[in-house]
Amino acid sequence: MSQIELRDVAIEYRKPKSDESFVAIRGINLSIDKGSFVTIVGSSGCGKSTLLLAIAGLIPRARGSIRVDGRDVAGPGRDRAMVFQEASLLPWRSVHGNVRFGLELQRWSRDNVDQRVAHFIGMVGLGQFADYHPHQLSGGMRQRVNIARALAVDPDVLLLDEPFAALDAQTREVMGNELLHIWEHDKKTALFVTHAIDEAIFLGDKVVVMGKDPGRIKDVVEIDLPRPRTTAMLDSAAFVAYRRTLRDYIAADMQSLQMIEDAA
Amino acid sequence: MTRWFENHQALLSGCISFAVIVLVWQLTVDLGLVKAFFISSPSLVAVEFWRQLMSGELSTNVAVSLSEFACGLGLALVVGTGLGVLASWSRTLEYILEPFIWLGYAFPIIAIYPLFIAWLGLGEPTIIAIAFIFAVTPLYANTLSGIKNADADLIRAARSFGARRRDLFLKIALPGSVPILVAGLRLAVGRALTGVVAGELFGAAAGLGYSIAYYGDKLKTTAMMVSMVLVMIFGVILTQLLSLLEAATDSWRTGPGRS
Ligand SMILES: Nc1ncnc2c1ncn2[C@@H]1O[C@H](COP(=O)(O)OP(=O)(O)O)[C@@H](O)[C@H]1O
Ligand SMILES: [Mg+2]
């Protein structure tokens, strides 16, 4: 059963210093099943963040409809929580305070809040660091806090915008594994943006491939690999085949970019 | 013991350089290099200090200046931060106040002092008004810019969790602008002190600035120096208090601790 439904969605931005608008994405049709893990790949600037922000209800759309569980998305809601790329933790709050932040904003009853916060901090493996402040944590730890903050408000849909983009390759792999581990626990619907092809295949049930000029969906690739996913699969024939398909899609984008640059 | 030295190195070095200055000052006069008439001397100042303390003159001057300082700064704190918050909500108000802020920074306010005397008379209300005007500019400007420059990424993250306007103000803009608010307060304290002393120099019936001007007219260098040194001491004490405040509001930077 599909939980998120996008029909003919277009998002426009105002161009800087003019009244003209710029079409960031258009003609987006997408259905996402409840409990599935969907990844979105595409080269930089093709509108991945824009798409996610629109589903989060943080930016208005120029046309089309976005529905989550049949309800029209008109703004942020308790059914969705977002994990941002970086720098979205409050520097003056501890890990505990940051995870508590979402619960405070959603006016959760104070009774069990601190227990709940502690539970989710433990879940992302930061039990020892509850009293640390963001600047005292590594990039990977900060993203764990971000994830804990989103999970703590118990959303139906988890929206993740390149959460591991700033991390080194090893940390990234570990974090991906842990995220899957957590996800397999309660199977919240997850929408995960990345520009790393391997990450998209490794994590996803489906990979949505986006292209640009204008931002659009080029294809949706079903990833038929068994779960739980393991690092050994990275070298399997199926994985290599998926990698090749996706790389061709993205390379086409890069070529068109090259042509624009050559022409200029 | 070595730890103690490391922790208090700044304080210790400050005391030493202060002691050296006092010593050189005393020696310059004792050795007859400069006449005491021009620069007095630490021992003369100490004796005169005692005389003013005993006669009650000193406590009167200190009390008057301090109360004027406190009133001027307090008023500026309420009005400056209040207007800063309001202006962060209303573009119109911000634009209306903008020219005054430019004036406040660029215009030598003391030049309109005679007007204040005409309106408020010679004395405390005028001094308080001057201190207020001196101090209000940085408080207003820093409050406004602190709140307006709230981190856009944090605001977006908060909105994604359903933050309302009030949440954005109380949980993001306000705590995020604490460092710049404290910086504004630091400027305001210095400017308020300058305002009080300058105001008293030009016309008052009591206060440290008044005492400086009074003895200055009579060419009583030593008596004048007592009030000057007191003003300096206040400056140092206030700066130290602000450093403590800065450390307290900034503690999350320096050590673990729950929000
Ligand atoms: N706030 C904005 N104002 C104007 N243009 C924007 C804004 N945000 C993004 N864009 C433009 O929209 C396009 C898509 O951006 P984005 O969704 O961030 O891409 P991605 O996340 O795939 O890198 C880019 O060309 C970008 O310049
Ligand atoms: Mg992006």
Side-chain angles (χ1 to χ4, degrees):
Chain A
M1 194 199 86
S2 91
Q3 180 174 34
I4 306 175
E5 282 282 342
L6 284 83
R7 287 284 157 260
D8 194 28
V9 171
I11 307 277
E12 296 177 359
Y13 287 116
R14 177 89 53 82
K15 278 189 185 169
K17 292 180 187 161
S18 82
D19 286 337
E20 289 171 58
S21 57
F22 160 80
V23 181
I25 50 176
R26 78 161 167 232
I28 303 287
N29 290 298
L30 188 63
S31 301
I32 292 166
D33 291 343
K34 193 174 183 65
S36 67
F37 200 120
V38 173
T39 54
I40 303 175
V41 277
S43 55
S44 164
C46 68
K48 305 182 296 293
S49 297
T50 301
L51 180 59
L52 220 58
L53 289 170
I55 298 172
L58 288 169
I59 48 175
R61 49 188 184 268
R63 57 178 293 169
S65 78
I66 301 179
R67 290 176 171 278
V68 175
D69 283 319
R71 287 187 303 271
D72 188 60
V73 167
R78 282 178 174 228
D79 51 349
R80 289 150 287 144
M82 189 142 175
V83 177
F84 296 88
Q85 184 168 334
E86 54 189 334
S88 73
L89 296 177
L90 307 180
W92 55 86
R93 284 195 183 210
S94 63
V95 167
H96 184 93
N98 267 290
V99 175
R100 205 174 192 279
F101 186 56
L103 297 163
E104 287 173 19
L105 291 174
Q106 294 192 356
R107 309 290 194 277
W108 283 58
S109 129
R110 274 159 207 268
D111 297 344
N112 300 315
V113 156
D114 285 319
Q115 240 169 298
R116 190 175 174 83
V117 168
H119 169 76
F120 283 95
I121 292 175
M123 182 183 279
V124 296
L126 290 180
Q128 307 295 312
F129 299 92
D131 289 338
Y132 280 58
H133 280 84
H135 73 110
Q136 296 164 318
L137 304 174
S138 69
M141 291 159 96
R142 280 200 283 265
Q143 284 311 64
R144 285 163 202 261
V145 180
N146 252 331
I147 290 169
R149 181 174 71 181
L151 289 173
V153 298
D154 193 26
D156 300 326
V157 177
L158 209 50
L159 305 166
L160 305 105
D161 189 8
E162 305 207 35
F164 307 149
L167 309 181
D168 60 87
Q170 282 80 17
T171 313
R172 198 171 179 144
E173 212 173 290
V174 172
M175 296 282 291
N177 268 313
E178 285 185 17
L179 181 63
L180 279 187
H181 208 77
I182 292 170
W183 171 76
E184 263 148 23
H185 216 70
D186 50 9
K187 296 257 167 146
K188 289 183 188 305
T189 311
L191 206 52
F192 184 106
V193 167
T194 175
H195 60 252
I197 293 173
D198 278 13
E199 195 171 64
I201 304 168
F202 183 77
L203 297 175
D205 294 317
K206 279 187 197 177
V207 177
V208 176
V209 187
M210 289 185 69
K212 57 177 170 187
D213 307 313
R216 66 196 188 282
I217 293 178
K218 283 184 158 176
D219 197 3
V220 178
V221 180
E222 299 268 349
I223 304 297
D224 202 5
L225 294 171
R227 290 192 187 271
R229 302 274 165 87
T230 59
T231 347
M233 292 178 190
L234 290 170
D235 303 312
S236 69
F239 201 101
V240 171
Y242 287 129
R243 184 188 289 148
R244 188 171 306 131
T245 314
L246 293 178
R247 194 178 285 161
D248 286 346
Y249 276 126
I250 310 242
D253 246 19
M254 295 318 249
Q255 262 162 21
S256 63
L257 189 69
Q258 194 59 47
M259 274 157 57
I260 294 170
E261 277 168 9
D262 288 347
Chain B
M1 195 64 192
T2 29
R3 265 300 278 281
W4 191 91
F5 272 117
E6 273 167 27
N7 290 338
H8 297 83
Q9 199 183 4
L11 182 69
L12 215 64
S13 316
C15 287
I16 290 173
S17 77
F18 184 73
V20 167
I21 288 174
V22 171
L23 198 70
V24 170
W25 182 9
Q26 183 73 48
L27 284 177
T28 318
V29 177
D30 285 352
L31 296 175
L33 297 177
V34 182
K35 280 197 180 126
F37 172 76
F38 292 112
I39 59 167
S40 185
S41 86
S43 56
L44 288 173
V45 169
V47 171
E48 173 65 15
F49 182 90
W50 187 251
R51 187 193 70 75
Q52 289 191 16
L53 187 68
M54 287 296 111
S55 73
E57 181 186 340
L58 191 142
S59 57
T60 311
N61 286 337
V62 168
V64 166
S65 289
L66 272 193
S67 77
E68 288 163 348
F69 170 80
C71 288
L73 184 66
L75 222 70
L77 208 57
V78 173
V79 174
T81 47
L83 283 179
V85 169
L86 291 178
S88 74
W89 293 336
S90 152
R91 258 292 139 77
T92 322
L93 183 64
E94 185 190 342
Y95 290 154
I96 290 173
L97 290 174
E98 195 158 277
F100 293 98
I101 297 316
W102 287 117
L103 267 184
Y105 276 129
F107 181 76
I109 294 154
I110 207 73
I112 52 170
Y113 190 71
L115 271 183
F116 280 88
I117 294 183
W119 296 336
L120 299 171
L122 207 66
E124 287 186 29
T126 303
I127 312 281
I128 292 172
I130 290 285
F132 166 79
I133 295 187
F134 263 70
V136 77
T137 326
L139 287 170
Y140 167 80
N142 282 30
T143 307
L144 178 62
S145 85
I147 294 173
K148 265 189 23 176
N149 294 326
D151 191 322
D153 287 336
L154 295 185
I155 287 185
R156 191 157 74 180
R159 288 219 302 126
S160 79
F161 289 103
R164 304 166 198 179
R165 260 184 81 116
R166 199 176 59 131
D167 296 321
L168 295 181
F169 178 69
L170 289 177
K171 293 183 193 255
I172 299 208
L174 216 52
S177 43
V178 163
I180 187 166
L181 290 183
V182 175
L185 185 59
R186 187 183 270 284
L187 280 174
V189 162
R191 288 168 62 102
L193 192 61
T194 309
V196 166
V197 174
E200 287 177 347
L201 278 175
F202 285 105
L208 294 170
Y210 162 76
S211 157
I212 293 171
Y214 176 82
Y215 288 117
D217 278 348
K218 303 196 158 192
L219 301 177
K220 289 193 171 174
T221 319
T222 304
M224 187 173 80
M225 285 275 187
V226 170
S227 297
M228 287 182 177
V229 169
L230 279 171
V231 171
M232 262 182 249
I233 291 173
F234 283 131
V236 171
I237 291 176
L238 289 168
T239 315
Q240 289 307 310
L241 285 179
L242 277 167
S243 301
L244 285 182
L245 180 68
E246 235 160 24
T249 52
D250 228 21
S251 58
W252 56 267
R253 259 185 234 282
T254 46
R258 207 152 267 199
S259 71

